């Protein structure tokens, strides 16, 4: 399978994700989250939860896999079918891990910042699902557009269904005020 422009973009995103996740994991493992937060982190309880730490480590491993396979793909300009399937599986797992973090992060209480965590619609998960769909060999353009729309609608629909139960709501204020936007 030959490399496309979309694959270059995915490899770049995976490299950025690996760097950010390494820094996040370092921050989680330092006492009092000293890296970048000067000893104060309102989300400390969330990021030190063992489940969240394992989710971040799993996400790092799979993004690292995507990055390495992407670099090999760029270097060789082609990829073996087994490696391509492993790449697609890794991307799908990353997309599902984002939903898993939404669920897991919503099943325990971790302080007064509960509504400020900002766990919104998993847009990256949607983008990765669409990437997988685009890399599948679908000849009919209308079918491809319909499946992309279905992925977006399903993800937003699932998010809407779990919004209240998982307490994903958060407050939005006009900047610098206590006036709620909604």
């Amino acid at each position: 399978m030959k490399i496309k422009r979309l694959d270059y973009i995915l490899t770049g995103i995976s490299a950025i994700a690996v760097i950010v996740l390494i820094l996040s994991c370092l921050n989680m493992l330092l006492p009092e989250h000293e890296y970048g937060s000067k000893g104060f982190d309102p989300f400390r309880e969330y990021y030190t939860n063992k489940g969240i730490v394992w989710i971040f480590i799993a996400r790092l491993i799979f993004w690292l896999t995507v990055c390495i396979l992407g670099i090999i793909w760029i270097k060789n300009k082609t990829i073996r079918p087994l490696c391509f399937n492993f790449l697609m599986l890794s991307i799908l797992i990353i997309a599902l891990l984002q939903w898993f973090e939404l669920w897991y992060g919503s099943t325990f209480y971790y302080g007064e910042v509960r509504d400020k965590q900002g766990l919104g619609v998993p847009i990256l998960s949607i983008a990765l699902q669409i990437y997988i769909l685009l890399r599948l060999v679908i000849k009919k353009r209308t079918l491809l557009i319909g499946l992309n729309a279905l992925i977006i609608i399903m993800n937003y629909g699932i998010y809407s269904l779990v919004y209240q139960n998982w307490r994903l709501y958060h407050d939005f204020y006009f900047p610098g005020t206590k006036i709620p936007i909604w």
Side-chain angles (χ1 to χ4, degrees), residues 10-98:
L10 177 73
T11 303
I13 290 171
S14 68
I16 293 168
V18 166
I19 292 167
V20 169
L21 285 168
I22 287 172
L23 292 175
S24 295
C25 287
L26 285 174
N27 192 30
M28 283 188 250
L29 299 175
L30 288 173
E32 296 300 319
H33 292 232
E34 294 168 359
Y35 178 75
S37 62
K38 308 287 189 255
F40 174 74
D41 186 1
F43 301 105
R44 181 180 192 285
E45 196 172 335
Y46 178 78
Y47 287 117
T48 56
N49 181 283
K50 288 182 182 181
I52 297 300
V53 170
W54 281 110
I55 290 170
F56 268 72
I57 290 170
R59 191 180 295 155
L60 173 63
I61 290 168
F62 285 108
W63 270 119
L64 192 59
T65 302
V66 170
C67 186
I68 290 169
L69 288 173
I71 290 170
I72 292 170
W73 198 359
I74 289 171
K75 181 182 166 213
N76 297 338
K77 302 290 185 207
T78 186
I79 192 167
R80 294 187 320 219
L82 180 64
C83 290
F84 180 75
N85 291 339
F86 193 65
L87 178 72
M88 291 297 117
L89 179 64
S90 296
I91 293 169
L92 183 62
I93 290 171
I94 293 167
L96 294 176
L97 274 173
Q98 198 167 12

Side-chain angles (χ1 to χ4, degrees), residues 98-108 114 119 166 168:
Q98 198 167 12
W99 277 102
F100 184 71
E101 183 184 355
L102 276 175
W103 170 78
Y104 185 84
S106 301
T107 58
F108 62 92
R114 175 72 181 104
L119 294 176
W166 291 1
L168 296 174

Side-chain angles (χ1 to χ4, degrees), residues 132-145 147:
I132 291 171
L133 190 63
L134 291 174
R135 289 305 289 157
L136 296 175
V137 182
I138 299 175
K139 301 288 186 197
K140 293 185 178 181
R141 182 74 92 198
T142 55
L143 177 62
L144 187 61
I145 292 170
L147 289 174

